[in-house]
Amino acid sequence: MKAAAWIYGVFGVFLTGLGALAVRADDEESAPQQEIARAVAAYQGSAGTVLRENLDRLPLALLGVLLMAPGVLAAFFIGLAAGKRRLLAPGGAERSQLLRITAVGLAVGVPGGGVFFASAAQGPLADRWHFLGIGVGMLTPAALSAAYACLVLLLLDSSWGDRLRRLFVPAGRLALTNYLGQSLIMMFVATAYGLSLYGQVGAAAVLVLAGAVYALQLALSTAWTRRFRHGPAEWLLRAITLAGRPGRAGPARAPEPDSALPT
């Protein structure tokens, strides 16, 4: 937990400092609208223009990976600490403590990791706010994630708990398959690999589409886990990591409450 705090703190302050300097730059130094229009045209063009645009953007993508890597590493450390202390296990935290963390996490995370970061990355703020948004987005989303986790625990401990488990557990067991599936579906919808709708639909339509895709995946995941223990991508990952053929027989079974997390 201390390692995670140091990573979040040091790297978050560093990015926030760079962002504060970038805000002082002139708007003329930001990416021109012509560049944005060129990228949109490339994704709407053909399979070749999409591939070329992705290759051109590969250095920026690698830079993004480097920028996000410390935050991801810190999140792994926090998850490891939470698992060792069984904070997410039944009875791991008092209801009053969960409510307090949820309230504080939402109060800190929504303005910073939600509103400001979204406004700097994709919203109305100019490009010069982008790095400051990343810095604030590094410092505050941990609070928002903690609020989400505590809110989920509160819901699971309520009268809705059993129904929520039946609804979402199958999709969680196929998390990698569903993640890759979402990427493939959205790539088909957005780019010239499929429908070429990149830049042509509004935020409301995107939200509706995302909700529809996830609802479909919930239904498919439930049907799949009734027959198979692993999803396709999970099976392949286990085969690679175990250097062998994972078991195929039988549907996946929910773990007992005391064995939900490793000790």
Side-chain angles (χ1 to χ4, degrees), residues 93-103 150-151 153-154:
E94 298 290 337
R95 180 178 177 83
S96 59
Q97 185 180 13
L98 294 177
L99 288 171
R100 186 165 56 251
I101 295 174
T102 300
C150 291
L151 184 60
L153 292 177
L154 289 169

Side-chain angles (χ1 to χ4, degrees), residues 10-260:
V10 172
F11 200 68
V13 170
F14 173 72
L15 286 179
T16 303
L18 286 180
L21 293 176
V23 169
R24 300 172 61 89
D26 294 332
D27 286 339
E28 296 178 356
E29 297 180 6
S30 61
Q33 292 298 317
Q34 292 85 349
E35 175 65 19
I36 298 175
R38 186 196 62 78
V40 171
Y43 285 119
Q44 294 176 347
S46 65
T49 61
V50 173
L51 179 60
R52 186 162 54 250
E53 181 66 19
N54 286 335
L55 291 175
D56 290 342
R57 290 181 173 272
L58 188 58
L60 289 177
L62 294 176
L63 177 60
V65 170
L66 293 176
L67 288 176
M68 295 297 104
V72 174
L73 179 61
F76 278 129
F77 285 156
I78 292 176
L80 179 62
K84 286 186 174 181
R85 300 179 186 181
R86 300 185 64 80
L87 295 178
L88 303 181
E94 298 290 337
R95 180 178 177 83
S96 59
Q97 185 180 13
L98 294 177
L99 288 171
R100 186 165 56 251
I101 295 174
T102 300
V104 174
L106 291 176
V108 174
V110 169
V115 177
F116 182 74
F117 174 72
S119 298
Q122 301 290 338
L125 295 179
D127 288 346
R128 60 194 177 96
W129 290 88
H130 186 70
F131 272 105
L132 183 59
I134 293 177
V136 174
M138 179 78 178
L139 292 173
T140 56
L144 193 58
S145 298
Y148 289 158
C150 291
L151 184 60
V152 169
L153 292 177
L154 289 169
L155 289 173
L156 291 177
D157 196 37
S158 69
S159 59
W160 291 76
D162 290 338
R163 279 173 284 186
L164 289 173
R165 289 186 184 91
R166 288 195 298 269
L167 180 62
F168 291 108
V169 163
R173 294 187 182 280
L174 274 66
L176 179 58
T177 297
N178 286 328
Y179 175 80
L180 296 175
Q182 290 168 8
S183 299
L184 291 174
I185 292 172
M186 293 304 181
M187 179 184 69
F188 175 81
V189 171
T191 71
Y193 291 134
L195 302 180
S196 297
L197 294 181
Y198 190 92
Q200 298 187 32
V201 295
V206 172
L207 288 175
V208 171
L209 176 61
V213 169
Y214 189 61
L216 175 63
Q217 289 185 319
L218 288 178
L220 293 177
S221 297
T222 299
W224 182 277
T225 53
R226 287 173 180 167
R227 297 190 58 190
F228 302 102
R229 185 178 299 275
H230 308 296
E234 290 76 14
W235 187 94
L236 179 61
L237 181 62
R238 288 176 66 87
I240 294 173
T241 56
L242 298 176
R245 186 182 180 88
R248 297 177 57 190
R253 293 180 297 175
E256 296 296 328
D258 292 340
S259 62

